[in-house]
Amino acid sequence: MNLLLDEVARATARLADAGAASPRADAEELAAAVHGVNRSELHKVADSAFDALFWEYVARREAGEPLQHITGRAFFRYLELRVGPGVFVPRPETEVMVGWALEALRDMDVQDPLVVDLGTGSAAIALSIALEAPRARVHAVEKDPTAYVHANRNVEDLDERDQVRLHLGDLGSALGEFDGSVDFVVSNPPYIPMSEWEYVPRDVRDHDPADALWGGGEDGLDAIRAVERTARRLLRPGGYVAVEHSDLQGNGVYWIFAEENGWRDVRNRRDLTNRDRFVTARLGVP
């Protein structure tokens, strides 16, 4: 066994003892970040190049710091994004919602669809849509100044400044200039109720920004209610919305998009683990 693989194996054991959910993957990702490669390229790292900084990273992960905060990067669909303290780390389950949104956009008879991402965080959703639906014009809204800085860096890094426009503002009142003209609204808003605090993983509740986690109200759905109102204001008749929620909130979110408010074709959709994960709806034609 070469030195690097031996060290990764030792780190895996330490992270497993610390309760990490994916200790081997975490150890490999930390080693890859230290050496400036992807996990699939670890075999290219020479034994002599092994860096003691790796063990500092392992200790931070043992202490509960998110992997992505240590490495400074997160992977989302086809993107590598810069993340860190103050911005929500994008999760794999959100990729399923983005995939559905992209399919819906392709099915629309719209040459240059206008898309709004409410609560963009790192801009993972906005940038994925820009990359995979290159004719879309994407406006992304973020109210937290620190998260906005991360989003702006990612937009600049991926050279998507012409296609993705960032707006510093609240998702409940933003983009009034587009009222009634947007083709698609997508959002991964905060939705965890404070009553669930003790069940949230430590590395999430202690490190992800509070405003990106706790949705407000006894049921945690106040932010989603704000997304519904904004989507109803922004969308043109026939436009679509997709909004993420927890796997226990599907029924509650379904009824937020009520028929009496003009919504049609409301559906709960599932993630890769076959759990309710996001709701989609279409704004009816008057």
Side-chain angles (χ1 to χ4, degrees), residues 223-247:
I224 291 180
R225 293 184 180 96
V227 168
E228 184 274 330
R229 292 189 295 269
T230 300
R232 183 160 26 109
R233 168 172 60 82
L234 289 174
L235 287 172
R236 62 167 175 81
Y240 279 88
V241 61
V243 58
E244 184 174 323
H245 54 72
S246 84
D247 57 354

Side-chain angles (χ1 to χ4, degrees), residues 11-178:
T12 299
R14 281 179 53 172
L15 294 176
D17 288 343
S22 51
R24 179 74 184 190
D26 286 5
E28 290 179 350
E29 184 60 38
L30 293 172
V34 165
H35 295 292
V37 299
N38 292 323
R39 280 175 60 195
S40 61
E41 300 172 316
L42 277 174
H43 65 281
K44 299 179 182 179
V45 178
D47 285 351
S48 60
F50 190 78
D51 195 323
L53 179 63
F54 175 65
W55 291 109
E56 177 187 328
Y57 282 7
V58 170
R60 290 167 63 183
R61 185 71 186 109
E62 281 182 299
E65 188 173 348
L67 174 70
Q68 297 86 353
H69 285 192
I70 300 168
T71 64
R73 63 185 184 182
F75 299 96
F76 187 87
R77 291 183 68 85
Y78 301 103
L79 301 174
E80 180 179 324
L81 301 165
R82 287 208 270 178
V83 297
V87 67
F88 183 77
V89 175
R91 294 339 195 239
E93 52 265 31
T94 307
E95 297 182 31
V96 179
M97 179 176 69
V98 173
W100 187 90
L102 287 162
E103 290 181 7
L105 285 169
R106 293 183 187 114
D107 290 342
M108 282 183 176
D109 187 20
V110 178
Q111 184 174 4
D112 301 302
L114 179 58
V115 179
V116 169
D117 174 17
L118 296 173
T120 195
S122 65
I125 293 175
L127 286 167
S128 289
I129 290 173
L131 176 68
E132 299 180 59
R135 296 194 66 89
R137 298 162 293 145
V138 186
H139 290 262
V141 178
E142 177 54 55
K143 73 174 183 179
D144 183 85
T146 302
Y148 181 90
V149 169
H150 283 281
N152 193 56
R153 286 173 179 164
N154 286 322
V155 171
E156 291 181 349
D157 286 350
L158 295 164
D159 197 22
E160 293 289 354
R161 285 165 288 186
D162 291 337
Q163 195 177 347
V164 177
R165 300 293 178 90
L166 294 175
H167 304 264
L168 184 63
D170 185 84
L171 62 80
S173 57
L175 304 179
E177 65 271 29
F178 294 127

Side-chain angles (χ1 to χ4, degrees), residues 184-259:
F184 203 105
V185 171
V186 62
S187 181
N188 178 19
Y191 50 71
I192 304 174
M194 283 300 298
S195 60
E196 299 293 316
W197 185 89
E198 63 183 297
Y199 304 110
V200 176
R202 183 182 61 172
D203 59 347
V204 174
R205 73 187 187 206
D206 291 350
H207 295 277
D208 272 320
D211 285 349
L213 297 178
W214 315 111
E218 291 187 7
D219 56 5
L221 297 180
D222 281 0
I224 291 180
R225 293 184 180 96
V227 168
E228 184 274 330
R229 292 189 295 269
T230 300
R232 183 160 26 109
R233 168 172 60 82
L234 289 174
L235 287 172
R236 62 167 175 81
Y240 279 88
V241 61
V243 58
E244 184 174 323
H245 54 72
S246 84
D247 57 354
L248 301 177
Q249 294 172 320
N251 188 60
V253 177
Y254 179 94
W255 290 109
I256 287 174
F257 289 85
E259 186 173 340

